[in-house]
Amino acid sequence: MSEIALKYLDEERGWRDVARRVLGPNPELMAVSRWISYSRVYATGDRVAIIRSPRSVAPRRMGTLRHESAVLERIGTPHEFVDDSGWQILVTARVTGRTLAQMAPHLSIPNRLSMLRKVVPSLRALHRAGVAHRDIRLDNIVVEGNGTIRLIDFDRAILAPPLEAAISDWIGVSRRGLSWYPFWKLAAYLLAPKSETLARRVTGKTRRLLT
């Protein structure tokens, strides 16, 4: 077996060993991050673990799992953060349901408006707690079986005074830069899907002007 193959197998054993230590004997690999190198999601039963290896490097403006743990602490979400020899692990309850990205193609315009209205109270609760989500994408909104809306993925969230948090999420501007996906962009994607390209162009040009 080649040296590259042996190195790959050794890395895979490392991931599995860490996942087993926090989740038990048979964790299931759910996802490999598109945005953060050496970051995976494992799950078992009613728990899910985000795991980042010591080699993980988050892009600019994305927080560490330690920061995400602080955000979850602020909003009162039960969780466990572990730093195990450089491996960062964040364990939370598993959220079941479908993302709005999965549901949107099958929803009428009135139903899409209804979903938007349901997101508003969740965001307001975050802002009162001094948290801006800043990544309000269709993929980060889960609709549970009873219709309850759940916001997930707080890796771009910030702790801020309530007014700043609100402006950051509704409009997309704060003292710490532009939000990746503010609420207005979510509304545009849901109600006028063809506006996604335009929104990306506007956001890209604005970022270039401010950097």
Side-chain angles (χ1 to χ4, degrees), residues 30 94-108 111 115 118-119 137-152 186 190:
M30 304 297 294
R94 192 173 187 174
V95 178
T96 58
R98 291 190 295 165
T99 66
L100 207 44
Q102 294 170 319
M103 297 178 63
H106 312 290
L107 296 177
S108 64
N111 285 335
M115 288 297 175
K118 288 183 177 182
V119 173
R137 291 182 288 122
L138 298 176
D139 287 323
N140 287 341
I141 299 167
V142 175
V143 183
E144 297 182 301
N146 61 3
T148 300
I149 290 285
R150 293 282 298 273
L151 289 169
I152 61 171
L186 172 72
L190 267 181

Side-chain angles (χ1 to χ4, degrees), residues 119 123 133-138 141 151 169 181-183 186:
V119 173
L123 283 176
H133 189 282
R134 302 209 311 166
D135 195 16
I136 313 163
R137 291 182 288 122
L138 298 176
I141 299 167
L151 289 169
D169 273 343
Y181 284 88
F183 182 81
L186 172 72

Side-chain angles (χ1 to χ4, degrees), residues 13 16 19 26 35 41 44-45 55 57 64 71 73 75-76 82 102 104 107 110 114 133 148 153 177 186 194-195 205:
R13 279 193 292 270
R16 288 195 298 271
N26 297 303
W35 311 108
V41 178
T44 182
R55 299 171 64 186
V57 178
T64 64
V71 170
E73 186 74 28
I75 62 179
V82 178
Q102 294 170 319
L107 296 177
S114 176
H133 189 282
T148 300
D153 288 356
L186 172 72
K194 291 183 180 179
S195 68
K205 288 180 179 179

Side-chain angles (χ1 to χ4, degrees), residues 180-205:
W180 286 89
Y181 284 88
F183 182 81
W184 69 263
K185 193 181 289 188
L186 172 72
Y189 290 178
L190 267 181
L191 303 180
K194 291 183 180 179
S195 68
E196 180 173 353
T197 300
L198 175 61
R200 283 179 176 169
R201 288 176 181 171
V202 170
T203 302
K205 288 180 179 179

Side-chain angles (χ1 to χ4, degrees), residues 45-148:
D46 60 354
R47 297 195 303 157
V48 63
I50 305 169
I51 302 175
R52 295 184 190 170
S53 87
R55 299 171 64 186
S56 178
V57 178
R60 189 163 60 96
R61 290 192 291 268
M62 292 185 74
T64 64
L65 288 184
R66 188 181 297 278
H67 172 75
E68 193 168 344
S69 172
V71 170
L72 295 180
E73 186 74 28
R74 174 72 66 89
I75 62 179
T77 298
H79 68 284
E80 178 185 4
F81 173 76
V82 178
D83 192 328
D84 183 354
S85 301
W87 291 83
Q88 287 197 346
I89 306 141
L90 185 65
V91 182
T92 64
R94 192 173 187 174
V95 178
T96 58
R98 291 190 295 165
T99 66
L100 207 44
Q102 294 170 319
M103 297 178 63
H106 312 290
L107 296 177
S108 64
I109 292 297
N111 285 335
R112 292 182 182 204
L113 277 169
S114 176
M115 288 297 175
L116 276 176
R117 293 192 188 101
K118 288 183 177 182
V119 173
V120 171
S122 296
L123 283 176
R124 285 178 173 163
L126 287 183
H127 301 156
R128 285 194 297 270
V131 172
H133 189 282
R134 302 209 311 166
D135 195 16
I136 313 163
R137 291 182 288 122
L138 298 176
D139 287 323
N140 287 341
I141 299 167
V142 175
V143 183
E144 297 182 301
N146 61 3
T148 300

